[in-house]
Amino acid sequence: MEEEEEVTLAQGSGLTFHMITHSDDGPFWSVVKKGAEAAAANVGAELVWLPGNNDPGQMVVDIETTIAEGSNGIAASLPSPDQLIPVLQDAVAAGIPVYTINSGVNDYQTIGATTHVGQTEFIAGQGAGNRFNALGATHVLCGRQEQSNVGLTERCEGLADTFSGTVTDEFVGLDADQTEQINGIKAILEADESIDGFLGVGPVIAVNGLTAGQDLGRDLIIGGFDVTPAIIDAIEAGDIAFTVDQQQYLQGYLPVILMFLEATNQNTAGGGLPILTGPGFITPDNAAAVKALVAEGTR
Amino acid sequence: MGETDEGGTAVETKTDDGTTPSKIDAQSGLAPAADERLAYRGVFQRILTRPEIGAALGALAIWIFFWAVSVPFGRAGGASSILDVAASPLGIMAVAVAMLMIGGEFDLSSGAATGALAIVTILIVRDVTGLMPGGGLSLFVALPLSLAVALGLGWFNGTVVNRTGLPSFIVTLGSFFVLKGAKLGFSKLIVGQQQVGKLDDLLAQAVYISESGELVVFDAGNTVEVSVQGQQLINVAPEVREQIQFNVDNGLDPFESLAPQVVNSIIRPDNIEVFTVPPPTVDLIETNIADGLEPLAGVSEDLIGVGDRGYSFMVDVFAAEWLRNEHVWNGRDWFYIIGVVGGFALCALAIYEMNFRRREDTTSSRSAFAVLGGILALLLGWALLRDVARVNELVDLADLGSQAGLDSELARDVLVDIEASQVAGVESALASELGATEAMASAFLADPDPSSGLYRAFAWILTAVGLGGLAAGIGLELRSTRGRILGLITFLAGVAVSLVGVWRLHVTDSTSANWTAAIIIGAGMAIGFLGWGMWRYRGRGGVDDAFEAMAESAAGMAESGLTRVVTPLVAGVIALALSVGIALWLNPDNGFDLWPTTTEKTESVLSAQVDEIIAGELGPSVESRLDATVQAEVDKLTNREQLNLGERGLAKLTDAARNALVRAEFDSLPAAEQESLLLDAQARAETENPLDIVTVTSGTVGLVALIVGVAVALLSQVLNLKRLSFMRVLQDHGLAAIAAGLVGFLATYSFFFLATEQGARAIGFIVFAGAGAAGLLSAVNRGRKHSNALGSALLMATAAAVMLFALFVRSESGTPKFRTQAFSFLLIIAAVMAIWAFATLMFEERRSFDPGADKMGTRMLIAGGIVIVLGLTTRLMWVTDAELVAGIPPVKFSVRILWFLGFTALCSWVLARTKFGSWTFAVGGNAQAARQVGVPAARTKTQLFMLVSFAAWLVGLLLAFRLNAIQASTGDGEEFEYIIAAVVGGTMLTGGYGSTIGAAIGAFIMAMSVQGIPSARWNSDWRFVFLGAILLTSVIANNYIKAKAEAAR
């Protein structure tokens, strides 16, 4: 962005946006926050970052306070829709533009939010399926590290939707006991020799799938979800083919820009449909570049 | 413990009107002993009252179960996975937690502590803070520091529990949350991530900067130095060295089959300095060179040549691995067979020793040990010597081959053929074809190397020890009475006959010859056991008396009805019949169609079939090019890889090549032709090859079975069929067991969607066969109470049933493992039963204490157990060339297993033999009472908490060196698994009772369950249902067995 433009925008704004999420300020959300701050600085608006720390009650209070104080736009995540939908509907009724981010793709229309910015797990899984098709896998094991997490199950269902070969979807052991996880994957690989691909729906399980495959001398095509240094190293080394990246920086950056445009120019993006920030893929081609960006905290 | 028991006994005896128990017994045979703790208990009863025995039996049952339903589970790979999961973290922690639970306390922070202590260790050692230039501390300093932290944690838990008097449940729950939070908090605070690592960044990598300014990095880690053709090569991975050696020995270019980058990185010009740096610094130097900066810009002086700060050493200690496929020992199987069979024989003799009454003139146990040890050592020595002889022969062959100068791989194949067909004296005939070099021979003889002096020395020493032992045993006995020496000679003759049988089995191949051999083995066993008995036990007065007694008791049986015996007998027979019925019903060869099936195909099946049809259409046109393509692929591999490829690898390669060719062929067709081919294939896939997919309708069958079972049970109640004794029998035991088995079996098959019909067949078969065996044995046990002879007769009948069963398994089974392994095993069990039945008729059983015999029996049991484990270990650790040629998947074993075994052994010793162990039981049973007799209760408990945190530290290190990076969530919530493993192993939640060996077995049960379910390809959604059922069953069975054994008299 050019220097002059930024200055004019900053002078003309004086707007205040609120971002109210279930953030725990962990590695994931700190990237969202960075994105939002960068966007706010670019448009010269003030950003109020209210992390709910996985407590929807806290989020309700924060949203009510924000409505009372007034705001030029609220971007909220929807970890538990039932509690948050009524209060966000109040915000819409009070004339505040509302955007949902990260979670809430099924409810943003009920709320009357302009659009949703995030990734849907199913579409991310579909993206992984297309990758496996391109890489020539015929039978992929979709390994889950939790037994009844809807998000993880949706990733596997998305994979099964687009992948042209067979998908075996199994829970293989918790991240808390990686010994069990590695051996669980090994047991399935040994029992079914036709498996030639592995999708770990988390970063730890993906690396463990690599270990299991190496232990058995099986050359698997491996995909993962999310970003950790270990998985990026493995991608750089060519042992893991790709990992699905939500690009959560966009989930912070885009809503601020969208709220700014709605406030200043009455633009509403998305046309009633959600705006997807993923799936982005980290592959051996861009792993080195992404590694540097992870160190900077924007990926 | 012993002291309290005696005290209690004294009190009890006094209240008993001063009469001694033996007098009461003498006065009326029916009256129970005055104090049942003083009553003599039979050998099985004594064994069954051990806390861990239920778990051990359960573990065996679960292993057999999964072995039957899943192929990979029973292989070396499955064993390695089970051992891995059982060892660490689960096993080590379960053992420590069991000690603490015996001491009456819990530690809910133990799971979180494993991860926390690993994180502490990594944080100390890593230069993550930037506060310690030149890297963190050496591991040699860091480990003691983190151990201090660990012990501090245990001390804190213990002290708070003691000082406040709060339940340890609450206190350690607090520590759990603190640890869980601290792990996450500190990880993020210090490294900004939810995981801390990587430990292998400590590795010192050897690098140099070449003349052209490039950075050259050597293979890190496990490397060896070599020099070839005057050039010095350093730090080459062992497999690279092997390849070079192979090339040189075969007169090839030294770097044949090595990738160019490997060749470049292993030749170091002499004038360039090599130094070591950690991997992150390697990256930094690389970036510097890429950016055109000075290579060492920004690299701290302290990091150059710093070494690995103990990393390589610690990796060996905590994470060393044994790659099975790299260790060949062709003599393995004899060692294994002798170990397992000899071990079981020792155990069986130990049971005899503990059960029968010794002859008055029996000498000390020394001669028995000398004889038994002698036989075992002699056999093992013979196996090794046989190996040496075979190797000598092969070396001779290889020499001949090298003279002939033929291709080495051909020679290798020929050698393998020779080994397989046992052809002797073919040197001259083959000499012209052989071309093995000496190097080839030495590769062939890798690992336990029978050509080495040590191996030969060991073989001869074992043989000599064996002969010496035998001679000493016989010598000791020669000085004794004639009857005894006759027994010993009979025993040795029996062993010899058995060996002849085994030898016949080995050298012959036809079915009838195998049967002859089996009969010889059986006869040898019978003679051997008879001799052993004549040598050591008091007789009952001959076979005639025994048969008279049997006839008498049969008459008695007719009079008294004996429903208690008939009940389990009938139930057992019905269950056996059902198992046979299920096997026949589900036999795919019989074309059963009772099972509802569907022909509806899923998308993925359809598309796979379309591919198959297209491949079939285009296949013939590509077949001509296939061989050349495969050959091209094979040529790309290194020599060693080619050797390891095997038939299976080759088949895979061929399939891949065919697919690629077909795809290319398909793509090259014109679009219209492609489409018509595709449409045609789709149409054919829809109609051809209907599938046999079992639908949920079979669930209905399960439901109907359940309803019928309940209805029959209710009806029989309502109609009061109890008056009919046969119905009563069925109703009380058999019917309930059969209904439960049927429902369980059908439910498992239909609701849990077992992958294969074969699996269902195996489950049904095993469930009912097991129930049948239990019924029959129960009948034997009850019959024995009525009269010894009746028990023997029933046992004989049971043995006959088992033998018939073995024949059935052999003829009907669909898998080789059932046909051969299960068959042989069942035959052996039948033989052991029959011999036992015979022995109980011949020899007098013990009815009083004999500490000497018990001590000897215990020692024989332990020795037998060790020998069995050694045999199994041998089989797990080495491969044979035949296996490699067949292309087996690689298997790894890690040093973690040794840590687990060592820790369990240590804790068991402490618990059983030391003062601290007694204190542990005392404070767990009643802390107040313990304190009053002078046990330092508070100190003992604190030390137990420290033991748990020590275990957590150890597990943390094992994890850290395995995974390199530790997640903040590591171990959270796992503490309940440790507690469950301890409870499954017989440790009581209330404290004061339990066993560390039991906890270790409990860990095995859990590991087998979590491995077996995916191995059998059961739906993982039901995983915890299975896990729960297995755990509940084993705990209930454990309690039931113990209660029964305690109550029995």
Side-chain angles (χ1 to χ4, degrees):
Chain A
M1 197 169 281
E2 281 169 40
E3 192 76 359
E4 290 156 300
E5 218 174 61
E6 201 178 331
V7 173
T8 23
L9 283 172
Q11 278 174 344
S13 107
L15 300 167
T16 306
F17 301 125
H18 289 76
M19 208 166 256
I20 302 157
T21 64
H22 62 286
S23 159
D24 54 359
D25 282 340
F28 182 88
W29 284 101
S30 56
V31 174
V32 177
K33 188 179 175 189
K34 272 216 169 106
E37 280 169 349
N42 280 350
V43 299
E46 194 195 335
L47 174 77
V48 182
W49 174 261
L50 297 166
N53 240 327
N54 289 319
D55 177 8
Q58 178 65 40
M59 290 178 65
V60 170
V61 174
D62 285 341
I63 294 168
E64 279 169 352
T65 319
T66 307
I67 297 170
E69 287 175 356
S71 171
N72 299 104
I74 293 177
S77 66
L78 239 64
S80 60
D82 293 346
Q83 280 167 282
L84 292 165
I85 286 174
V87 64
L88 284 171
Q89 280 169 337
D90 291 349
V92 173
I96 302 173
V98 171
Y99 287 77
T100 57
I101 63 169
N102 185 260
S103 46
V105 68
N106 297 322
D107 299 302
Y108 72 98
Q109 283 162 328
T110 322
I111 294 168
T114 315
T115 187
H116 171 83
V117 180
Q119 170 186 262
T120 73
E121 306 293 7
F122 189 78
I123 288 174
Q126 284 180 320
N130 289 328
R131 284 266 150 187
F132 277 113
N133 285 339
L135 292 163
T138 60
H139 184 176
V140 172
L141 169 62
C142 190
R144 282 177 285 124
Q145 69 272 33
E146 281 174 54
Q147 193 158 31
S148 38
N149 178 323
V150 181
L152 300 185
T153 313
E154 279 178 0
R155 289 176 177 180
C156 287
E157 285 167 359
L159 170 75
D161 188 55
T162 54
F163 182 57
S164 58
T166 321
V167 171
T168 303
D169 173 11
E170 298 280 358
F171 163 65
V172 293
L174 298 168
D175 277 352
D177 189 350
Q178 294 192 46
T179 310
E180 196 181 305
Q181 202 175 67
I182 292 171
N183 286 295
I185 299 169
K186 268 163 99 170
I188 296 176
L189 290 180
E190 283 222 84
D192 195 335
E193 300 231 336
S194 69
I195 294 174
D196 57 3
F198 178 77
L199 178 66
V201 293
V204 174
I205 194 173
V207 176
N208 284 338
L210 174 65
T211 311
Q214 284 172 343
D215 279 359
L216 293 174
R218 296 266 286 270
D219 195 11
L220 302 174
I221 299 165
I222 296 173
F225 265 84
D226 300 337
V227 182
T228 60
I231 198 168
I232 293 190
D233 283 348
I235 291 173
E236 234 186 332
D239 294 331
I240 290 182
F242 66 88
T243 185
V244 179
D245 184 7
Q246 297 212 21
Q247 310 191 96
Q248 66 271 31
Y249 188 79
L250 294 176
Q251 295 176 11
Y253 194 95
L254 289 181
V256 173
I257 300 293
L258 295 175
M259 290 190 285
F260 175 77
L261 290 172
E262 186 169 356
T264 57
N265 208 28
Q266 292 297 313
N267 289 133
T268 50
L273 296 172
I275 295 173
L276 300 180
T277 61
F281 292 95
I282 299 173
T283 61
D285 300 333
N286 63 358
V290 172
K291 199 174 177 181
L293 294 170
V294 168
E296 283 171 26
T298 60
R299 281 301 283 262
Chain B
M1 284 296 281
E3 231 167 286
T4 22
D5 258 9
E6 276 165 33
T9 312
V11 174
E12 288 284 318
T13 325
K14 263 180 225 160
T15 58
D16 202 38
D17 302 335
T19 39
T20 61
S22 57
K23 270 186 187 163
I24 286 189
D25 262 343
Q27 281 158 9
S28 70
L30 290 174
D35 181 348
E36 61 186 42
R37 278 171 296 184
L38 267 186
Y40 175 73
R41 299 196 297 182
V43 51
F44 294 114
Q45 203 180 348
R46 268 175 290 155
I47 292 173
L48 287 177
T49 46
R50 295 283 310 159
E52 60 272 349
I53 200 70
L57 292 177
L60 188 67
I62 292 169
W63 191 87
I64 292 177
F65 181 74
F66 281 119
W67 168 85
V69 298
S70 152
V71 173
F73 188 85
R75 291 200 297 230
S80 116
S81 283
I82 295 166
L83 284 166
D84 193 25
V85 176
S88 161
L90 186 57
I92 292 177
M93 291 310 294
V95 166
V97 163
M99 288 276 281
L100 182 64
M101 282 166 64
I102 294 170
E105 303 291 344
F106 290 96
D107 187 352
L108 297 189
S109 68
S110 55
T114 57
L117 292 165
I119 287 175
V120 166
T121 313
I122 299 179
L123 286 181
I124 296 175
V125 88
R126 285 265 304 166
D127 179 22
V128 284
T129 56
L131 298 173
M132 294 177 281
L137 295 171
S138 154
L139 276 167
F140 294 108
V141 181
L143 260 51
L145 275 180
S146 59
L147 176 60
V149 173
L151 296 179
L153 173 69
W155 177 85
F156 173 81
N157 277 338
T159 308
V160 173
V161 167
N162 284 325
R163 288 280 166 81
T164 60
L166 287 168
S168 54
F169 215 78
I170 306 292
V171 173
T172 55
L173 193 63
S175 342
F176 164 63
F177 282 123
V178 170
L179 285 176
K180 186 176 167 166
K183 279 193 294 186
L184 195 60
F186 280 112
S187 300
K188 282 189 182 168
L189 187 68
I190 298 175
V191 296
Q193 286 157 8
Q194 290 184 349
Q195 66 173 23
V196 176
K198 298 160 36 190
L199 210 48
D200 60 359
D201 277 356
L202 292 179
L203 204 71
Q205 284 195 297
V207 300
Y208 69 84
I209 295 153
S210 73
E211 282 159 336
S212 58
E214 272 175 64
L215 181 74
V216 180
V217 184
F218 295 114
D219 247 333
N222 188 15
T223 56
V224 287
E225 292 205 10
V226 293
S227 74
V228 174
Q229 292 174 351
Q231 282 172 309
Q232 197 200 358
L233 314 172
I234 66 164
N235 285 351
V236 177
E239 55 271 20
V240 175
R241 195 200 75 88
E242 232 171 87
Q243 182 68 48
I244 295 173
Q245 190 67 50
F246 179 85
N247 293 337
V248 170
D249 293 341
N250 287 296
L252 302 167
D253 176 58
F255 306 115
E256 177 93 24
S257 303
L258 287 177
Q261 62 267 30
V262 176
V263 177
N264 289 336
S265 74
I266 57 181
I267 301 178
R268 174 177 67 92
D270 283 340
N271 55 347
I272 285 182
E273 186 206 0
V274 175
F275 51 92
T276 59
V277 279
T281 314
V282 174
D283 291 347
L284 182 60
I285 298 174
E286 256 173 0
T287 321
N288 284 342
I289 293 175
D291 295 352
L293 299 169
E294 184 66 24
L296 295 183
V299 175
S300 162
E301 279 287 308
D302 302 332
L303 281 176
I304 296 177
V306 69
D308 63 3
R309 281 164 278 168
Y311 178 76
S312 306
F313 175 78
M314 293 298 174
V315 163
D316 282 346
V317 173
F318 291 110
E321 278 172 344
W322 175 270
L323 303 170
R324 180 180 191 254
N325 290 34
E326 290 181 3
H327 298 276
V328 179
W329 182 16
N330 288 312
R332 176 199 77 183
D333 284 335
W334 276 109
F335 204 91
Y336 155 72
I337 290 169
I338 294 167
V340 171
V341 173
F344 273 114
L346 267 180
C347 291
L349 289 180
I351 302 278
Y352 276 76
E353 203 65 22
M354 290 160 101
N355 188 63
F356 292 103
R357 192 159 165 190
R358 289 202 284 185
R359 297 162 64 112
E360 286 84 355
D361 58 349
T362 317
T363 44
S364 71
S365 52
R366 260 181 305 165
S367 62
F369 270 117
V371 169
L372 291 174
I375 292 173
L376 207 60
L378 193 63
L379 285 175
L380 292 177
W382 167 80
L384 296 187
L385 280 178
R386 183 183 163 278
D387 222 22
V388 170
R390 190 182 55 80
V391 160
N392 286 340
E393 196 180 313
L394 286 173
V395 169
D396 290 346
L397 282 176
D399 281 347
L400 280 170
S402 74
Q403 284 159 20
L406 267 182
D407 172 57
S408 59
E409 278 189 36
L410 175 66
R412 186 195 162 85
D413 289 347
V414 172
L415 289 183
V416 171
D417 284 348
I418 294 170
E419 175 62 12
S421 58
Q422 297 274 322
V423 179
V426 286
E427 290 100 314
S428 55
L430 289 169
S432 61
E433 285 183 23
L434 283 174
T437 61
E438 211 170 338
M440 207 51 242
S442 78
F444 189 53
L445 317 172
D447 237 47
D449 181 1
S451 60
S452 76
L454 197 67
Y455 194 98
R456 283 152 200 262
F458 188 57
W460 282 113
I461 289 172
L462 262 180
T463 314
V465 166
L467 286 172
L470 263 182
I474 295 170
L476 277 171
E477 291 303 312
L478 272 181
R479 287 179 296 171
S480 65
T481 58
R482 222 169 53 101
R484 239 174 36 210
I485 192 69
L486 187 68
L488 176 56
I489 290 166
T490 317
F491 172 65
L492 292 176
V495 173
V497 172
S498 303
L499 289 176
V500 169
V502 172
W503 172 73
R504 290 294 308 162
L505 197 63
H506 183 66
V507 298
T508 57
D509 222 13
S510 72
T511 315
S512 62
N514 281 354
W515 276 108
T516 320
I519 291 168
I520 297 176
I521 295 174
M525 278 168 71
I527 297 171
F529 279 106
L530 181 67
W532 177 265
M534 283 162 61
W535 175 21
R536 303 192 61 78
Y537 311 127
R538 198 191 282 194
R540 268 191 209 278
V543 181
D544 294 344
D545 287 5
F547 279 115
E548 249 168 58
M550 208 190 286
E552 251 172 54
S553 74
M557 189 170 100
E559 274 167 33
S560 62
L562 279 179
T563 39
R564 276 173 56 79
V565 181
V566 177
T567 309
L569 194 66
V570 171
V573 169
I574 291 177
L576 283 182
L578 269 174
S579 75
V580 170
I582 282 177
L584 288 175
W585 175 38
L586 289 183
N587 188 348
D589 296 341
N590 295 352
F592 71 96
D593 54 356
L594 294 165
W595 216 250
T597 60
T598 178
T599 52
E600 206 173 301
K601 290 176 190 175
T602 59
E603 277 299 313
S604 62
V605 170
L606 263 183
S607 80
Q609 288 197 347
V610 167
D611 285 352
E612 225 169 78
I613 290 168
I614 292 179
E617 290 285 320
L618 298 177
S621 58
V622 302
E623 208 62 40
S624 55
R625 280 171 288 153
L626 189 59
D627 282 347
T629 317
V630 171
Q631 194 55 45
E633 286 296 319
V634 171
D635 287 342
K636 281 183 199 162
L637 302 172
T638 65
N639 291 347
R640 180 144 280 274
E641 280 170 337
Q642 287 180 18
L643 283 183
N644 286 339
L645 192 61
E647 279 171 30
R648 216 170 61 158
L650 197 65
K652 266 190 176 174
L653 214 63
T654 314
D655 280 348
R658 186 181 289 119
N659 285 343
L661 283 176
V662 166
R663 191 170 288 263
E665 182 79 16
F666 183 76
D667 289 344
S668 70
L669 292 174
E673 216 168 306
Q674 280 185 8
E675 201 176 329
S676 77
L677 199 59
L678 204 61
L679 284 176
D680 180 45
Q682 271 163 354
R684 276 174 59 190
E686 298 274 0
T687 51
E688 285 176 12
N689 310 325
L691 283 183
D692 275 1
I693 297 176
V694 176
T695 57
V696 191
T697 1
S698 54
T700 330
V701 180
L703 206 62
V704 169
L706 178 70
I707 293 167
V708 169
V710 172
V712 170
L714 281 177
L715 259 181
S716 60
Q717 281 291 340
V718 172
L719 298 178
N720 201 6
L721 293 174
K722 273 196 167 191
R723 273 173 301 174
L724 290 166
S725 70
F726 184 71
M727 267 325 276
R728 186 178 147 196
V729 164
L730 280 182
Q731 202 176 315
D732 282 359
H733 304 274
L735 203 63
I738 290 162
L742 200 63
V743 170
F745 159 62
L746 288 171
T748 329
Y749 188 20
S750 48
F751 295 124
F752 299 143
F753 309 115
L754 282 174
T756 61
E757 275 155 6
Q758 208 168 59
R761 194 169 170 229
I763 290 174
F765 185 71
I766 288 186
V767 163
F768 284 110
L776 293 185
L777 287 179
S778 167
V780 170
N781 196 27
R782 288 176 177 181
R784 188 172 295 287
K785 258 167 230 148
H786 187 265
S787 89
N788 180 50
L790 176 62
S792 287
L794 287 172
L795 190 57
M796 289 273 196
T798 308
V802 172
M803 204 168 289
L804 284 176
F805 224 62
L807 289 172
F808 175 75
V809 165
R810 188 183 154 95
S811 72
E812 288 297 311
S813 171
T815 54
K817 65 182 176 189
F818 267 101
R819 257 203 311 275
T820 57
Q821 296 176 27
F823 169 67
S824 319
F825 200 70
L826 283 174
L827 265 195
I828 292 174
I829 286 179
V832 168
M833 276 180 172
I835 293 166
W836 177 262
F838 185 60
T840 48
L841 276 181
M842 292 289 295
F843 304 107
E844 203 174 315
E845 280 169 292
R846 190 138 62 85
R847 294 267 172 250
S848 59
F849 291 102
D850 183 347
D854 280 350
K855 198 168 161 189
M856 176 170 166
T858 312
R859 283 186 182 165
M860 281 167 69
L861 268 185
I862 292 170
I866 291 172
V867 173
I868 292 172
V869 169
L870 278 180
L872 290 173
T873 312
T874 309
R875 168 123 187 168
L876 285 181
M877 280 177 63
W878 281 282
V879 290
T880 60
D881 270 328
E883 281 177 327
L884 278 183
V885 170
I888 50 161
V891 175
K892 264 184 192 174
F893 293 98
S894 77
V895 72
R896 290 179 285 276
I897 299 164
L898 294 184
W899 278 103
F900 165 52
L901 297 179
F903 188 73
T904 308
L906 181 73
C907 284
S908 304
W909 176 79
V910 166
L911 206 53
R913 295 262 179 267
T914 65
K915 195 162 65 179
F916 182 75
S918 311
W919 288 352
T920 304
F921 279 110
V923 297
N926 186 338
Q928 188 59 35
R931 209 171 285 122
Q932 281 165 357
V933 296
V935 174
R939 201 177 83 200
T940 306
K941 287 194 173 183
T942 305
Q943 283 166 346
L944 285 170
F945 274 107
M946 287 165 80
L947 176 80
V948 172
S949 57
F950 167 80
W953 172 79
L954 177 61
V955 162
L957 290 180
L958 294 175
L959 282 174
F961 282 96
R962 171 184 210 173
L963 302 167
N964 278 321
I966 294 293
Q967 298 289 315
S969 66
T970 299
D972 290 353
E974 298 290 307
E975 54 278 348
F976 288 106
E977 297 215 353
Y978 313 149
I979 293 173
I980 293 166
V983 172
V984 167
T987 300
M988 255 166 28
L989 284 167
T990 47
Y993 184 85
S995 141
T996 45
I997 293 178
I1001 297 174
F1004 269 107
I1005 290 186
M1006 308 248 313
M1008 284 193 285
S1009 312
V1010 297
Q1011 276 307 112
I1013 291 162
S1015 258
R1017 299 298 298 113
W1018 292 350
N1019 189 334
S1020 66
D1021 293 346
W1022 297 95
R1023 169 183 161 121
F1024 287 101
V1025 175
F1026 284 116
L1027 208 56
I1030 286 169
L1031 298 184
L1032 265 180
T1033 315
S1034 50
V1035 173
I1036 290 170
N1038 201 356
N1039 276 351
Y1040 177 79
I1041 292 172
K1042 204 170 77 205
K1044 275 281 182 192
E1046 297 275 8
R1049 212 164 288 130

